[in-house]
Amino acid sequence: MSSSTTQVDRRVFLKTGLAGATGLVLGFYLPGASTALADATAAPAAAAVLNAWVRVAPDDIVTIIISKSEMGQGVMTSLSMLAVEELECDWKNVRTEFAPADKVYIDPVFGMQGTGGSQSIHSGWEPMRRAGATAREMLIAAAAQKWGVAASECHAENGAVLHAATNRRATFGSLAEAASKLPVPADVKLKDPSQFRLIGKPTQRLDTPIKVNGRAGFGIDVRRPGMLHAVVLRCPVFGGKVASFDATKAKAVPGVKDVVQISSGIAVVADNTWNAMQGRNALAVKWDEGPNAALSSDTIRKQFGRKVKAADLNVNAVKAGRDYAAATLVKADPFAIERMDKNQGKIIIDGNSAFGRRGVSDFVGDAVETSKAMKAPVQVTWSREDDMQHDYYRPTSYIHLSAGLGADGWPVAFTARIACDSVMSWFFPGTITNGLDTSSTEGVSDIAYDIPNILVDYQLVKSPIPLGFWRSVGASQNGFFSESFIDELAAAAKKDPYEFRRHLLAKSPRHLAVLNLAAEKAGWGNPLPKGVYRGIAMLRSFSTYVAEVAEVAVDSSKGRLKVQRVVCAVDCGRPVNPAVIEQQVMGAVIYGLTAGLKSEITIDKGRVVQTNFDDNPVVRMNEAPVVEVHIIQSTEGPTGMGEPAVPPVTPAVCNAIFAATGKRIRRLPVRTQDWT
Amino acid sequence: MVIRFTLNGKSQSVDVNPSMPLLWVLRDTLNMTGTKFGCGMALCGCCTVHINGEAMRSCVMPISAVGGKKVTTIEGLSADHGHPVQQAWIEMDVPQCGYCQSGQIMSAAGLLAKEPNPTDDDIDDAMQNICRCGTYQNIRKAIHRAAELQAAAPAPGAGGNTEASPSASGTVTGGAE
Ligand code: FES
Ligand code: FES
């Protein structure tokens, strides 16, 4: 999702009674926050609500309620740090709890309760600190009242309120009950950043211990009394449906309880997952394959390729005109198969990685419908094959780029014509105005280079392939396009690709700073071992600036390339938890490399050809480069890190391939024949 | 068919279809959900457990082949995160989403049991587990760190209950039909 900035003000705090909670519970409520996204989804204009909760128990345990899904991005730790920075409790006493579904947890930027768009820290930055500060002030007020002194004479420190003049001290736990009965202060003062003792310090994740002993509960681990297990057979062709089926053999498989038709296909329900899978193998189904039965990658390629050529682009002194294609679809691979169960009308969703796949909730429907039919809790498991073939993919995108260079070699004009399928039309069609889906153009339309004439043209091209918010969305392919093409221009101008960018970013200090930092840390210009080459790329996405230098060992004669080292520089505003930022960058590099170098979804006869990790491989340990992360010590407001380090890695690698071979990669994923 | 084996140091019997993979016996029959399902085809390593001390992929291991053997899962690797691999994992904050990590840890523990001081190449060879979150670099660091921890304090039975004798009492019978 593209990020937008919401001014978080006019905040009203509410005291809220959470069932069963003792001590102090605080939440707050923001009236009137709305955004383009919220408007477009016709969310009620009145009250968008942002949550943040602090609970202080009598035993001094502080529970921070986390309104975002922890998907590995470290958000339960980072959001807790924001609240605790102001609350002044002992970090060792911090616990977290995930927020239930409730209006109070609606994200004001999205206009709904959700996690994504590299948005959590940006949205939580002020409200979470304010929640901590408000709780602290109430605890101080309770202590002052108890001691009959002025609140202004007291301060909070390390989980207790102190009155220095009389040397008195009371723990938060002992004050919580009284504090919860006091009025909520209308306004509280937040710390000056120079006073931060937690924000900005690498902080260990709160969720690590349960993730090293098998105790972390994922959706697939939910167990309920009387729970049954199911798998669903879906029509392999997009848009197809069940014509008829014979379940006799499936029902004869030991352990199979029933076979029921649901909207997405045929659910086979059994006493365990494996028996359900055996039952599914025994199903005899006739499909109505629908209108897409002849669809193939080839027809899609032609459809999109034609569009970028449909108009002639006339730019003065055109020296370079290039077609690029991220022709292929890429899938998200959530690493836990989505599994839900339905229990007394409550849908339980537990955290695992998602990378965009859980922006869609089709799997919830499977579980709800099957549970209803069975009148019992049913856990529906998606096998890897189910997920590979019934995903919501990164869209097909083609681009034609051209530019004119002046006599001095600096670009005077830049044009782009993008033909891209539209993610937003699947989710938020209301955000598309005059046929423009900005998620298809982000990363090109906002090109930072100082070029006097820029024209970006876009055609929304539809295919029947389901689309989703793949990690970094439009910036993923558009970063490849724009950063490869800038490299082409540098080569055409016979200038060093780093110096070329540097010159064109002179008026964009934050872009320039990450570019310089990455180049400096990578030792740009220093000699490399024989057979190793460098490439550089830089992109701002989700309001975060990232530059990456890739060192790639290239052996054309053997058709071998290995990405050895990737040096990353990031400016995500004020870094909240540098340890988590580093993890996100490392992960994003691996994720980007998988899509750039290995993973491709192709379509034949209306269905996805790939089935599992054998024919849709991902980067493994032996292919993983060393990733170095350098963080700009910015004082700007923090922005997200879940996605922005994905886009630069592929163009950085492709630019290194060009440096090695003179061959320009214009299609993803990189194929050996394109550079040998 | 009743199959008996040793699970995390205790004797265990289950009455299930003999071709049912160990993974599903653990997860669905015994409700031991620490071992994960990722591909079902021995491609990703999510489901790695130790069988007679050897790291193996439980998704393709029929339960009939486990009869009489010693199985260690992530739940039995140590009491309270005590295994050097778990300690190093905590120290390095390895997991992101954590879904692959049971398998990663069991693979790493299997490697260290055989090769107490693995090189980077040994790690590349032994660690074929997929991590979609891309934690490989921290896994590599943590394995080297675990090797140090293991060398510093070679606890008896490091490598978890893999080597423990099945003397512990308490037979749990699986709830399958
Ligand atoms: S689930 Fe066994 S290797 Fe993937
Ligand atoms: S930590 Fe998420 S898949 Fe490895």
Side-chain angles (χ1 to χ4, degrees), chain A residues 241-245 259-268 369-370 373:
Chain A
K241 52 183 195 289
V242 177
S244 65
F245 69 101
V259 175
V260 295
Q261 189 169 351
I262 60 175
S263 357
S264 66
I266 302 157
V268 179
E369 283 187 53
T370 313

Side-chain angles (χ1 to χ4, degrees), chain B residues 22-47:
Chain B
L22 172 61
L23 169 69
W24 297 112
V25 174
L26 291 169
R27 291 190 52 82
D28 290 357
T29 309
L30 301 174
N31 284 330
M32 291 178 63
T33 56
T35 306
K36 300 297 190 238
F37 168 55
C39 69
M41 288 178 66
L43 297 166
C44 76
C46 258
C47 62

